[in-house]
Amino acid sequence: MAAILRLNVGMKSIGEVAARFGVPAHVLRHWEAEGLLTPARAGNRRRYTDTDEHRVAAILVSKEAGLGLADIRAVLAAGSAPAREELLAAHRRRLEARLARTQAALDLLAGGPCPHDDIMTCPHFRGLLAERLPSDA
């Protein structure tokens, strides 16, 4: 029994870690199933170390940056800084493309109320269309 107590010193339960990060416990179990976390076991109970908590924080930060679980797993498992940078650069390019699409949507809406009954006669709208029309090359 003493060995089990020593094993658990400084370790937290799944409920404690989930509460600390404001996520349901099933999310931590899912991340474990996805290969993102590998908490220790005391019998059939998961026990989380400070290192595990840093990994949870890294996962949450990565999710906020728009990375999916597969991408997060790849970034955390990258064997070198250049490999990790390549993965992050690819994600950055995807984000920039999404940002450009979002900016185009905002530009469309920024025209404000159009006084034209037929939107196709609105100069602002036609200007946005002109950017999308294929050129006669």
Side-chain angles (χ1 to χ4, degrees), residues 24-123:
H26 72 86
V27 169
L28 298 177
R29 286 190 290 273
H30 177 66
W31 291 348
E32 182 181 355
E34 291 292 318
L36 296 168
L37 294 173
T38 55
R41 298 286 178 148
N44 64 351
R45 296 186 181 267
R46 293 167 176 87
R47 303 304 295 171
Y48 292 83
T49 64
D50 288 344
T51 300
D52 294 316
E53 288 189 290
H54 280 90
R55 240 176 128 84
V56 169
I59 294 165
L60 289 170
V61 166
S62 298
K63 285 180 63 56
E64 288 171 7
L67 288 160
L69 296 183
D71 291 327
I72 295 169
R73 184 176 47 252
V75 167
L76 292 176
S80 67
R84 184 177 51 254
E85 182 53 35
E86 183 178 325
L87 293 166
L88 294 174
H91 181 64
R92 190 170 35 254
R93 287 189 297 274
R94 289 190 301 269
L95 281 177
E96 288 167 347
R98 187 174 0 155
L99 182 58
R101 290 189 304 272
T102 301
Q103 187 60 56
L106 287 171
D107 290 347
L108 174 64
L109 299 174
C114 176
H116 299 85
D117 290 333
D118 180 358
I119 195 166
M120 295 305 290
T121 63
C122 174

Side-chain angles (χ1 to χ4, degrees), residues 100-101 104-105 125-135:
R101 290 189 304 272
F125 187 68
R126 289 187 68 85
L128 293 171
L129 296 179
E131 295 171 10
R132 298 287 249 163
L133 292 171
S135 63

